[in-house]
């Protein structure tokens, strides 16, 4: 099998010829810039660049040399906008290392070492405090309440750093220009590479409520202001369906996987009861997933952190086929139970090694043992793409990353 066939076989619950592996195909399955910089040094790669394509989380885009070395099977199509050297510039992180930021991203460094990000209108979008390694959101457009109508929803979404600080090194003057160049780039990518192609569509619902209203307010709204919540969700779905229409028209016949996002879980369980999910979010998730299935060849993938065990039956009914990052440290998310109960219906994209306690704090041998255990549980019969539990964070030693891939290679 080639890489694309290997990924698709896993999604169709067929055991591929060897273990399919992801590193960096999404902003939640990659590696922080600090950890990536250390990995390049450890591998002796002198000509590699640490390009920070997700500036909010400070996540690096892996070089082709790293993808080839570790035989990675899937890539993010946004790479087509990140290949020109002139779209990047050197920037010194507070930790002292030099990385590259997109040319349009110019954070302000304060005397205490913190970094602040502003939009063109001067709105303070986010801050990376001293010693931190990602940007915190600082602008919550609906903090004081919901508007009477959502005619300006797009404008206010653009004041949220997750939206305003995009994951492409290039900016485009028109939406038409963006989609046309994306299609051309992805067609060329598919011709020159046998890797599976993934596109992130976002289409978050619960998370956009927290981005606009702030987490504390929106959680209370779920209990005592559901009328306004539903008004907001319907407005979001309208915008998201437009995005999905553009995605499907541009690359629906070329890309293999489309990524949705909505962090629905805490360490202890979902943010809401299953009944609340079924009432407010499930019908809208299903509407969007059904649109993708009716208008493209792409398989729907949901990124959701936390303990979402209680929601999995509903997520399956909503049409999601792939779940990431499979946070095995959260309640009820042990791989044995997930594979037994949902292995015929879901592909687990993640769960390969625990990033909270083992990859960052364990010995290389402990890392290998965790990797082997998870692969042996999750890989039989397909339905598994190896990835860490969310991003490889700055405190992960490069020796442990190397040990992880050494253990993976035993199954390839």
């Amino acid at each position: 099998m080639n890489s694309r066939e290997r990924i698709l076989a896993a999604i169709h619950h067929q055991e591929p010829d060897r273990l399919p592996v992801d590193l960096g195909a999404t902003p939640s399955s990659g590696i922080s810039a600090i950890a990536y910089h250390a990995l390049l040094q450890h591998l002796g790669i002198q000509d590699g660049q640490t390009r920070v394509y997700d500036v909010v989380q400070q996540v690096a885009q892996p070089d082709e040399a790293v993808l080839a070395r570790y035989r990675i099977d899937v890539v993010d199509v946004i790479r087509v906008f990140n290949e020109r050297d002139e779209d990047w510039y050197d920037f010194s992180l507070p930790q002292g290392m030099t990385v590259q930021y997109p040319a349009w991203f110019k954070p302000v460094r304060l005397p205490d070492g913190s970094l602040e990000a502003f939009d063109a209108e001067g709105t303070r979008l986010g801050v990376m405090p001293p010693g931190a390694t990602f940007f915190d959101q600082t602008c919550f457009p609906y903090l004081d309440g919901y508007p009477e109508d959502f005619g300006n929803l797009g404008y206010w979404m653009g004041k949220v750093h997750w939206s305003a600080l995009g994951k492409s090194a290039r900016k485009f003057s028109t939406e038409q220009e963006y989609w046309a160049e994306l299609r051309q780039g992805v067609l060329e990518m598919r011709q020159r590479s046998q890797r599976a192609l993934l596109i992130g569509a976002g289409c978050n619902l619960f998370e956009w409520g927290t981005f606009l209203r702030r987490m504390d307010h929106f959680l209370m709204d779920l209990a005592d202001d559901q009328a306004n919540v539903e008004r907001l969700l319907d407005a979001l779905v309208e915008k998201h369906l437009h995005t999905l229409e553009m995605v499907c028209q541009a690359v629906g016949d070329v890309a293999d996987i489309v990524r949705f996002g909505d962090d629905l879980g805490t360490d202890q369980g979902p943010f809401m009861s299953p009944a609340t999910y079924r009432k407010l979010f499930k019908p809208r998730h299903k509407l969007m997933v059904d649109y993708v299935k009716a208008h493209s060849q792409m398989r729907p993938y949901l990124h959701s952190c936390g303990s979402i065990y209680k929601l999995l039956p509903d997520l399956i009914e909503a049409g999601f086929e792939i779940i990431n990052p499979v946070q095995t440290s959260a309640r009820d998310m042990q791989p044995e139970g997930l594979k037994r109960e949902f292995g015929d219906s879901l592909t687990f994209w993640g769960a390969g090694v625990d990033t909270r306690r083992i990859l960052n704090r364990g010995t290389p041998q402990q890392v290998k043992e965790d990797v082997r255990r998870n692969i042996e549980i999750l890989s039989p019969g397909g339905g598994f793409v190896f990835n860490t539990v969310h991003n490889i964070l700055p405190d992960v030693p490069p020796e442990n990353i190397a040990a992880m891939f050494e253990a993976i290679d035993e199954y390839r």
Side-chain angles (χ1 to χ4, degrees):
M1 291 181 174
N2 63 36
S3 287
R4 182 176 297 114
E5 293 166 343
R6 192 169 296 121
I7 290 283
L8 292 176
I11 294 171
H12 291 119
H13 298 276
Q14 301 163 2
E15 195 163 324
D17 62 334
R18 70 185 195 211
L19 182 68
V21 180
D22 170 28
L23 174 68
T26 82
S28 303
S29 63
I31 180 168
S32 83
I34 293 172
Y36 186 71
H37 185 272
L39 179 63
L40 291 181
Q41 291 184 319
H42 177 75
L43 296 176
I45 297 177
Q46 302 297 325
D47 57 350
Q49 298 284 359
T50 302
R51 288 181 166 169
V52 186
Y53 88 112
D54 179 347
V55 298
V56 174
Q57 298 184 99
Q58 298 286 284
V59 174
Q61 177 176 278
D63 289 299
E64 175 59 34
V66 172
L67 297 179
R69 182 188 188 105
Y70 290 133
R71 292 183 281 174
I72 302 304
D73 293 296
V74 54
V75 291
D76 187 343
V77 301
I78 204 70
R79 295 174 71 93
V80 302
F81 300 136
N82 297 345
E83 295 176 347
R84 302 187 317 191
D85 291 342
E86 60 264 34
D87 294 324
W88 301 88
Y89 75 100
D90 289 347
F91 187 89
S92 178
L93 292 181
Q95 290 78 11
M97 64 192 62
T98 298
V99 300
Q100 289 196 321
Y101 274 167
W104 54 262
F105 181 61
K106 300 292 178 62
V108 176
R109 197 188 304 272
L110 301 184
D112 65 358
S114 61
L115 299 176
E116 292 186 321
F118 297 84
D119 68 7
E121 297 178 337
T123 303
R124 183 171 175 261
L125 302 177
V127 60
M128 187 157 69
T133 55
F134 57 87
F135 280 83
D136 292 320
Q137 181 179 345
T138 54
C139 180
F140 297 87
Y142 292 168
L143 185 62
D144 294 327
Y146 292 89
E148 291 185 8
D149 67 74
F150 294 101
N152 291 326
L153 177 59
Y155 172 82
W156 291 114
M157 291 171 75
K159 294 291 185 180
V160 172
H161 75 335
W162 294 105
S163 174
L165 306 180
K167 298 172 182 64
S168 166
R170 293 165 60 189
K171 295 292 188 179
F172 295 87
S173 58
T174 66
E175 185 180 50
Q176 183 179 6
E177 179 189 11
Y178 173 87
W179 293 113
E181 189 163 336
L182 178 67
R183 178 167 180 80
Q184 184 59 39
V186 174
L187 285 170
E188 294 172 3
M189 181 183 286
R190 189 168 181 112
Q191 289 177 348
R192 69 175 184 260
S193 171
Q194 294 184 328
R195 295 190 182 103
L197 303 179
L198 183 151
I199 184 167
C203 297
N204 314 55
L205 294 177
F206 170 74
E207 283 188 304
W208 264 114
T210 68
F211 299 159
L212 292 164
R213 285 279 286 148
R214 207 174 65 188
M215 178 72 78
D216 51 346
H217 287 242
F218 193 63
L219 287 175
M220 290 188 287
D221 295 342
L222 294 182
D224 64 11
D225 195 6
Q226 290 191 356
N228 270 323
V229 169
E230 294 206 72
R231 289 177 56 238
L232 172 61
L233 295 181
D234 286 339
L236 287 168
V237 168
E238 183 178 352
K239 293 192 69 65
H240 293 339
L241 285 174
H242 172 72
T243 297
L244 292 173
E245 180 183 4
M246 297 298 101
V247 168
C248 291
Q249 288 179 1
V251 298
D253 59 335
V254 188
D256 302 294
I257 303 137
V258 60
R259 175 185 180 269
F260 292 77
D262 237 350
D263 282 344
L264 301 171
T266 72
D267 273 357
Q268 299 302 313
F271 275 107
M272 68 205 75
S273 69
T276 298
Y277 174 77
R278 291 180 197 121
K279 177 181 179 182
L280 298 177
F281 299 99
K282 180 178 178 180
R284 296 170 173 90
H285 275 150
K286 187 175 190 310
L287 181 65
M288 294 188 292
V289 172
D290 285 349
Y291 184 90
V292 167
K293 291 185 175 182
H295 294 88
S296 80
Q297 67 173 9
M298 300 180 294
R299 311 322 306 165
Y301 166 130
L302 177 68
H303 167 79
S304 178
C305 293
S307 172
I308 57 171
Y309 169 81
K310 293 178 180 178
L311 301 181
L312 287 177
D314 292 296
L315 293 171
I316 292 168
E317 290 181 3
F320 292 111
E321 299 175 12
I322 305 162
I323 293 292
N324 163 271
V326 196
Q327 190 175 328
T328 54
S329 61
R331 176 177 288 182
D332 300 325
M333 294 293 288
Q334 292 71 37
E336 298 91 338
L338 295 178
K339 185 72 171 180
R340 182 177 60 253
E341 293 190 54
F342 304 110
D344 292 338
S345 302
L346 289 173
T347 293
F348 301 108
W349 192 300
V353 62
D354 176 33
T355 48
R356 179 177 289 184
R357 300 182 182 90
I358 295 176
L359 192 62
N360 58 342
R361 299 179 184 175
T363 65
Q365 184 59 35
Q366 289 171 325
V367 170
K368 290 182 177 182
E369 290 170 359
D370 193 52
V371 168
R372 293 183 186 117
R373 179 170 55 252
N374 292 323
I375 290 174
E376 289 171 3
I377 292 169
L378 292 167
S379 64
F384 177 55
V385 175
F386 185 96
N387 185 226
T388 54
V389 178
H390 216 291
N391 292 324
I392 298 170
L393 294 179
D395 59 343
V396 175
E399 294 81 3
N400 282 5
I401 301 173
M404 176 184 76
F405 280 106
E406 287 171 11
I408 290 170
D409 283 343
E410 297 176 15
Y411 299 87
R412 310 199 282 193

